[in-house]
Amino acid sequence: MDNNSSSIEPLIPRAPEASHHDTGEEEDVDVRVAVGTAETQGANALGKELGTSPGLFIWLLTFSAGISGLLFGYDTGVISATLVSIGTSLSGRPLSSLDKSVITSCTSLFALLVSPFASVLADSLGRKRVILATDCLFVVGAAAQALSSTVAGMVAGRSIVGAAVGAASFVVPLYIAELAPAAFRGRLVTMNVVFITLGQVVAYVVGWIFGQYASEATAWRWMVGLGALPAFVQACILFLMPESPRWLMKAGRSAEARSVIERVIGDGPGSSRQVDATWKDIEARVREEELERRARNRHRTGRRLWLDSLSELLRIRRNRRALAIACLLQGLQQLCGFNSLMYFSATIFTLLGFPIPTLTSLVVAVTNFAFTMAALFLIDRIGRRRILLWSIPFMVAGLLFAAYGFSFITLSAELESGVPGATRPAQGAAILILVSIMTYVAGYAIGLGNVPWMQSELFALNVRSLGSGIATATNWGANFVIGLTFLLLMDALTPSWTFVLYAAICVAGYGLIWGFYPETTGLTLEAAARLLEDDNWGVRRPPG
């Protein structure tokens, strides 16, 4: 904490007298009003002058960071094809449902364990360095999976990849959000989700090609091993990309921060004024947060940075509310059951009697990609809150129709073996389930699949990294539960009731979003974080 405090000293005016702090609540309000007015004016100026599309430099930044999303999506999709291709290659026996669940869920478990620590590293080392570290883990994990000969070895390789995914899934959206102009932030963060869905499509295509045309003994090894290639490419590109200007400002490197802002905004008409407005907004917010921190901690010494951040996250009302909303959205994104379809889609379609289950899974992945692309163009026009409230009912309908379709199918011990056509389902029921799953996936992709990753909008700068890390850990905790329990629930509750359970979770999430999630579209990161100071959580407050 001491290092950061001293590095930011040039931005901070001399601390007021102690007696002044004793009545600091009114002063805090005055400071927030002044800063908030500047933020709103800056956001309006940027929205008018930047045009309708981000510049080339912003797209290059988003692409370079978004390769992590591609890796995330590839890992999610490739395990589906891998599980039906391994055969007896691991430990000399077919995989049981428990083997499949552990191999799948260990990735989520290690992502859960790593993401909070990655948030601390992102604050101390910077966003860019953490992304580079994840690339190394992706390469090592992919190689470990490809060379494994036992279930334990495969679990170890996927655990390493899980650590990489856990760090990247939180820091990449944060990195993009802190670099993106307010007018385009939703679109650019959604690009990361587009990369995730593209990675899933690539994984299913690779799985189908190797499953159909490669040697049965080595096909799955090529599938998992190819995950090292995008990580290597990203590491090479990212060396040329800048650090987040907000992190640089917080670290006291204001000249570097201004240089990055200039590159982001470009040389168009009025660019100098835009740079000044953005730079002053960030500087004012950093100054305000530092003054607030000093007022709270003026009698404390020797506290570490992450302990201060954790204290501020839990003690301040707006920060607690931001954490509650971010964890709600991230938990709902997984507890709705979506990734169970990504992890086990080939297994499900095998049980439904489709002759090439990996190819059928590709149809679902393409649906996910197509509607994520639609979200890319709609998210900043419709708004985060509204797009969730419109899309979740389609998810519920898809889940309930899938549950109805499964009611015509009887699954027994064959679920353990996954033998193609073992259940002899009716063709009409199988088609109904496929169409229902596609409807559910479409609703998910356009809303819940991307909006939770806008979580950095909710947090103040001084707790943004830690808050985003905890919310991302919530995502991976829920993902771990889903990956571990899906096949077991299919056995214990039947598929119909499993899908009804997921639909009920979506309905409960809809009610919470309606009551507590504010609209943040078009606001700067600094202004968006202030919405939660209102008694009504900012829900009925118009943006801007």
Side-chain angles (χ1 to χ4, degrees):
M1 187 67 194
D2 294 339
N3 291 340
N4 266 19
S5 297
S6 61
S7 64
I8 203 171
E9 191 71 36
L11 301 178
I12 308 300
R14 184 177 299 276
E17 298 297 325
S19 61
H20 192 63
H21 283 305
D22 293 337
T23 58
E25 188 64 33
E26 291 82 359
E27 177 188 316
D28 286 347
V29 172
D30 292 339
V31 173
R32 285 194 288 264
V33 169
V35 175
T37 301
E39 289 166 351
T40 302
Q41 292 172 347
N44 290 340
L46 287 172
K48 292 177 181 177
E49 297 178 9
L50 280 176
T52 59
S53 179
L56 177 61
F57 180 66
I58 281 291
W59 283 119
L60 290 174
L61 280 171
T62 305
F63 173 79
S64 63
I67 296 176
S68 289
L70 183 74
L71 288 162
F72 179 6
Y74 185 84
D75 177 77
T76 302
V78 80
I79 194 61
S80 177
T82 301
L83 291 177
V84 297
S85 303
I86 286 178
T88 60
S89 297
L90 296 179
S91 300
R93 59 177 173 79
L95 297 178
S96 66
S97 286
L98 182 60
D99 291 331
K100 293 178 180 179
S101 297
V102 171
I103 288 172
T104 301
S105 60
C106 67
T107 304
S108 306
L109 176 61
F110 274 79
L112 163 66
L113 296 175
V114 166
S115 53
F117 296 101
S119 68
V120 177
L121 292 176
D123 268 343
S124 59
L125 301 178
R127 289 38 166 155
K128 176 180 168 180
R129 289 176 182 171
V130 173
I131 299 175
L132 289 170
T134 65
D135 288 328
C136 297
L137 291 176
F138 273 121
V139 172
V140 172
Q145 289 179 82
L147 297 174
S148 62
S149 58
T150 64
V151 172
M154 186 68 170
V155 169
R158 285 190 57 75
S159 297
I160 295 172
V161 169
V165 168
S169 62
F170 124 79
V171 77
V172 169
L174 176 63
Y175 178 72
I176 295 174
E178 290 189 339
L179 279 160
F184 311 125
R185 188 172 59 248
R187 201 183 314 177
L188 295 173
V189 174
T190 301
M191 272 300 299
N192 185 57
V193 186
V194 170
F195 274 100
I196 294 174
T197 59
L198 178 61
Q200 292 167 349
V201 172
V202 171
Y204 285 122
V205 171
V206 169
W208 172 65
I209 291 174
F210 280 101
Q212 291 295 114
Y213 302 108
S215 167
E216 184 177 346
T218 60
W220 67 271
R221 297 185 186 276
W222 281 103
M223 294 179 200
V224 295
L226 284 174
L229 182 59
F232 178 77
V233 172
Q234 182 184 48
C236 294
I237 297 176
L238 207 60
F239 273 113
L240 305 176
M241 296 294 107
E243 181 54 86
S244 156
R246 286 170 171 85
W247 183 84
L248 290 171
M249 186 77 77
K250 188 177 179 182
R253 295 155 62 178
S254 57
E256 292 179 58
R258 185 180 180 91
S259 176
V260 173
I261 294 169
E262 289 172 348
R263 294 176 68 187
V264 167
I265 292 178
D267 301 323
S271 59
S272 178
R273 185 161 63 89
Q274 296 170 42
V275 170
D276 287 338
T278 304
W279 189 83
K280 289 177 181 177
D281 287 347
I282 299 172
E283 181 189 33
R285 182 57 177 163
V286 171
R287 179 188 295 115
E288 178 200 357
E289 290 178 358
E290 180 67 9
L291 286 172
E292 289 179 351
R293 183 193 62 78
R294 287 184 177 184
R296 285 190 298 271
N297 298 332
R298 63 185 183 275
H299 299 305
R300 303 172 190 167
T301 59
R303 298 194 62 182
R304 297 179 64 182
L305 174 62
W306 71 271
L307 287 176
D308 281 329
S309 296
L310 182 62
S311 175
E312 292 183 36
L313 184 64
L314 299 179
R315 289 176 55 199
I316 299 175
R317 185 174 71 166
R318 70 168 184 259
N319 293 340
R320 289 198 307 270
R321 289 177 169 183
L323 184 63
I325 293 172
C327 289
L328 162 67
L329 294 179
Q330 291 286 15
L332 181 61
Q333 187 187 73
Q334 296 301 326
L335 293 177
C336 71
F338 174 78
N339 270 336
S340 63
L341 297 180
M342 293 295 102
Y343 293 144
F344 301 112
S345 59
T347 301
I348 293 171
F349 293 133
T350 296
L351 296 170
L352 293 177
F354 287 95
I356 308 178
T358 304
L359 198 57
T360 309
S361 299
L362 179 60
V363 174
V364 177
V366 169
T367 301
N368 188 24
F369 177 73
F371 279 86
T372 302
M373 287 295 295
L376 178 67
F377 298 101
L378 296 175
I379 189 71
D380 283 324
R381 298 176 183 177
I382 295 178
R384 285 76 153 137
R385 171 182 165 85
R386 187 180 300 174
I387 207 168
L388 282 177
L389 295 178
W390 286 0
S391 61
I392 290 178
F394 287 93
M395 295 173 59
V396 174
L399 287 167
L400 293 178
F401 277 112
Y404 177 71
F406 270 113
S407 68
F408 294 100
I409 297 173
T410 302
L411 300 180
S412 57
E414 288 81 5
L415 181 58
E416 181 82 8
S417 63
V419 177
T423 55
R424 304 294 183 194
Q427 183 178 8
I431 296 299
L432 173 61
I433 292 169
L434 175 59
V435 173
S436 299
I437 288 175
M438 291 174 65
T439 301
Y440 163 77
V441 168
Y444 174 92
I446 207 166
L448 197 57
N450 59 78
V451 173
W453 298 113
M454 314 290 173
Q455 61 192 9
S456 57
E457 296 177 332
L458 300 169
F459 294 103
L461 176 60
N462 57 333
V463 296
R464 184 173 296 149
S465 182
L466 181 61
S468 297
I470 293 174
T472 303
T474 302
N475 181 295
W476 288 110
N479 192 317
F480 172 70
V481 170
I482 290 296
L484 187 62
T485 62
F486 176 69
L487 292 181
L488 304 178
L489 286 174
M490 293 271 282
D491 276 331
L493 297 182
T494 73
S496 291
W497 283 108
T498 299
F499 280 77
V500 168
L501 174 63
Y502 293 151
I505 291 172
C506 289
V507 171
Y510 183 94
L512 292 171
I513 290 169
W514 185 86
F516 299 107
Y517 181 47
E519 183 58 72
T520 58
T521 301
L523 299 177
T524 66
L525 290 176
E526 289 70 33
R530 297 182 179 282
L531 287 176
L532 297 177
E533 293 178 347
D534 294 343
D535 290 336
N536 61 5
W537 294 56
V539 166
R540 286 168 291 279
R541 178 175 174 175

